[in-house]
Amino acid sequence: MSWTGTGHERRGYHHGNLREALIEAALALIAELGPSGFTVAEAARRAGVSPAAPYRHFRDAEALLAEIALRGFERFTTALARSWQDGKPDPLRAFENLGRAYLAFARDEPALYAAMFETRIDFANYPSLQVASDRAFAILREASERLAATLPPAKRPPALMIALHVWAMAHGIASLFGRGDAGRQLPMSPEELLEAGILLYLQSLGLAGGQGPQK
Amino acid sequence: MSWTGTGHERRGYHHGNLREALIEAALALIAELGPSGFTVAEAARRAGVSPAAPYRHFRDAEALLAEIALRGFERFTTALARSWQDGKPDPLRAFENLGRAYLAFARDEPALYAAMFETRIDFANYPSLQVASDRAFAILREASERLAATLPPAKRPPALMIALHVWAMAHGIASLFGRGDAGRQLPMSPEELLEAGILLYLQSLGLAGGQGPQK
DNA sequence: GAAATAATGTAAAAAACCTTCACATGAGTT
DNA sequence: AACTCATGTGAAGGTTTTTTACATTATTTC
């Protein structure tokens, strides 16, 4: 038993909670070394089991990553929904909060975010991932709908487009500048950058800044 | 010599152009299987040499990827500069062309784009990569400067901010929706999405749409 | 409660990969 | 022609992935 890890104690022949222990170990590995630093063998080592044990719980390495990404999307959805607060105190403020929550999630849970977006998992092989990802996007879309609905129908821009633009900018900022040490330094924080970008964008749609839409 | 590849012919004991052949093989692998599908052994196999041969040209697998990313940034810079056309016919049109060129590069050279942005190479270990990346961003920044300069100084927004916002949105769209099959389907093409996003954003700065800045 | 069954972990092994090292070969130089 | 350097080979050690046969424990059923 030379692989017996120094980490969490082992109750006996059976681990008792190996599935969770593997997920935690994988998360720690990703956080430390990036998505490519994770290996099934190392996760097993940290959980104190043999290299074959993980295969009782996950079909292969990708399945473990997919499970992590799935939980990531679920927590992401929760975090976004909480920050949106059903549009309170007002849709614009709530929308800004949504943006901050997006970046906060990417910063505070880099391993989850990496598993969700920096890992090349084919969603077709994991339908639940597609569902979970759609649910997260649905928050953003709902927020965009509510924001757009503050305008009279004639001047109302398509909410889906707004949601896509905001998602792209948020993901772009998180991905390019999200980690403090990521090579590039900014004249402002990622949060400030995103907030400014969203406000400018919404302004031209007449959804921020107090004046009507451009035309 | 069981590893003699079926690909490009071999002139003798010495390959003659192994370095380039390895880079090509790695690019093909990344294009086919994603960044994680590349292995030194397979690249060597395709080049028709032994698995140890690549180490005469690259310190390790990451160094090969870094070289690919470096070339990617150089070609990226060239493509962006060409599309920008020194601001012709006018800064706004040229700016839109820049956005299209960004997405075209991500679509047409997915392997390069992946090596540049989806691979977690530490720029600190490859200073030339940092330089090349900065050069690419400099095009975007210069374009932003020129665009901002179309406004009187008092109303001129910070060009760096514009460049960061546009880069983030372009990268976000490329990364989330750039590949046709990438799970999510859009109501419009990535190019149209980006163009609309940029125009709306610039509108509120008074840089597009024909009217002055808001507020 | 004992026996059958299911779940979970181990050991061993094959295949692939990464990388290094000593050595071989060929190219270019003097 | 001899020397030197660059480039490629063969072999080897170490790691990882995943499968298979087997061992152990938990759970269910009678």
Side-chain angles (χ1 to χ4, degrees):
Chain A
M1 280 205 216
S2 61
W3 61 75
T4 296
T6 59
H8 310 282
E9 68 281 19
R10 186 72 181 281
R11 280 199 272 287
Y13 187 96
H14 284 101
H15 183 287
N17 205 16
L18 183 52
R19 190 181 170 87
E20 293 304 316
L22 288 171
I23 289 174
E24 273 183 41
L27 275 174
L29 279 170
I30 296 172
E32 289 169 25
L33 311 165
S36 61
F38 149 76
T39 68
V40 174
E42 180 63 23
R45 201 170 298 127
R46 293 195 178 196
V49 296
S50 79
Y55 293 87
R56 293 293 177 193
H57 299 274
F58 302 98
R59 195 164 44 70
D60 55 23
E62 193 183 68
L64 208 174
L65 279 186
E67 172 68 24
I68 290 178
L70 177 64
R71 296 184 179 202
F73 277 116
E74 286 166 355
R75 291 178 55 174
F76 192 45
T77 300
T78 302
L80 293 184
R82 171 160 41 227
S83 73
W84 166 242
Q85 284 267 42
D86 202 44
K88 289 191 249 305
D90 61 84
L92 181 58
R93 298 271 205 91
F95 205 79
E96 292 174 17
N97 289 336
L98 202 53
R100 270 189 288 274
Y102 193 112
L103 293 183
F105 185 87
R107 181 167 19 75
D108 298 342
E109 302 283 3
L112 289 178
Y113 196 83
M116 293 156 64
F117 291 113
E118 285 171 20
T119 224
R120 280 211 154 295
I121 299 175
D122 189 355
F123 280 25
N125 297 338
Y126 301 90
S128 56
L129 257 185
Q130 181 70 260
V131 171
S133 162
D134 288 349
R135 254 198 271 271
F137 181 65
I139 304 282
L140 192 47
R141 178 157 183 181
E142 162 70 10
S144 299
E145 300 269 13
R146 293 275 297 277
L147 193 58
T150 61
L151 289 183
K155 305 183 160 187
R156 206 173 283 170
L160 175 56
M161 182 194 71
I162 297 176
L164 291 172
H165 281 143
V166 170
W167 193 15
M169 177 136 28
H171 176 68
I173 288 175
S175 171
L176 291 172
F177 321 112
R179 279 68 121 195
D181 60 359
R184 247 169 276 282
Q185 57 254 36
L186 298 176
M188 48 181 89
S189 73
E191 281 82 358
E192 291 169 322
L193 185 65
L194 178 59
E195 180 171 338
I198 289 180
L199 282 178
L200 286 168
Y201 172 83
L202 293 178
Q203 248 173 40
S204 96
L205 292 170
L207 289 166
Q211 77 296 327
Q214 300 282 60
K215 156 54 187 328
Chain B
M1 281 206 214
S2 62
W3 58 75
T4 296
T6 59
H8 310 281
E9 69 281 17
R10 186 73 179 281
R11 281 200 272 285
Y13 187 97
H14 285 101
H15 183 287
N17 205 16
L18 183 52
R19 191 182 169 87
E20 292 305 316
L22 289 171
I23 289 174
E24 274 183 40
L27 274 174
L29 280 171
I30 296 172
E32 290 169 25
L33 311 165
S36 61
F38 150 75
T39 68
V40 174
E42 180 62 24
R45 201 170 298 127
R46 294 193 179 197
V49 297
S50 80
Y55 294 88
R56 293 293 178 195
H57 299 274
F58 302 97
R59 195 164 44 70
D60 54 23
E62 193 183 67
L64 208 174
L65 279 186
E67 172 69 24
I68 290 178
L70 177 64
R71 295 184 178 202
F73 276 116
E74 287 166 354
R75 291 178 55 173
F76 192 45
T77 300
T78 301
L80 293 184
R82 171 159 42 226
S83 74
W84 165 244
Q85 284 267 41
D86 202 44
K88 289 192 258 293
D90 61 84
L92 181 58
R93 298 271 204 90
F95 205 81
E96 292 174 18
N97 290 336
L98 201 53
R100 271 189 286 274
Y102 193 111
L103 292 183
F105 185 87
R107 182 167 19 74
D108 299 341
E109 301 283 4
L112 288 178
Y113 197 83
M116 292 156 64
F117 291 113
E118 286 171 20
T119 226
R120 280 212 153 296
I121 299 176
D122 189 355
F123 280 26
N125 296 338
Y126 300 91
S128 56
L129 258 185
Q130 181 70 259
V131 171
S133 162
D134 287 350
R135 256 198 271 269
F137 181 66
I139 304 282
L140 192 48
R141 178 157 183 181
E142 162 70 10
S144 300
E145 300 270 13
R146 293 276 297 277
L147 194 58
T150 62
L151 290 182
K155 305 182 159 186
R156 206 172 283 169
L160 175 57
M161 182 194 72
I162 297 176
L164 291 172
H165 281 143
V166 170
W167 193 15
M169 178 137 29
H171 176 68
I173 288 175
S175 171
L176 291 172
F177 321 112
R179 279 67 124 195
D181 62 358
R184 245 169 278 282
Q185 57 254 37
L186 297 177
M188 48 180 89
S189 73
E191 281 82 359
E192 292 169 323
L193 186 65
L194 179 59
E195 179 171 337
I198 289 180
L199 282 178
L200 286 168
Y201 172 83
L202 294 178
Q203 249 172 39
S204 95
L205 292 170
L207 289 166
Q211 78 297 324
Q214 298 283 59
K215 161 71 169 320

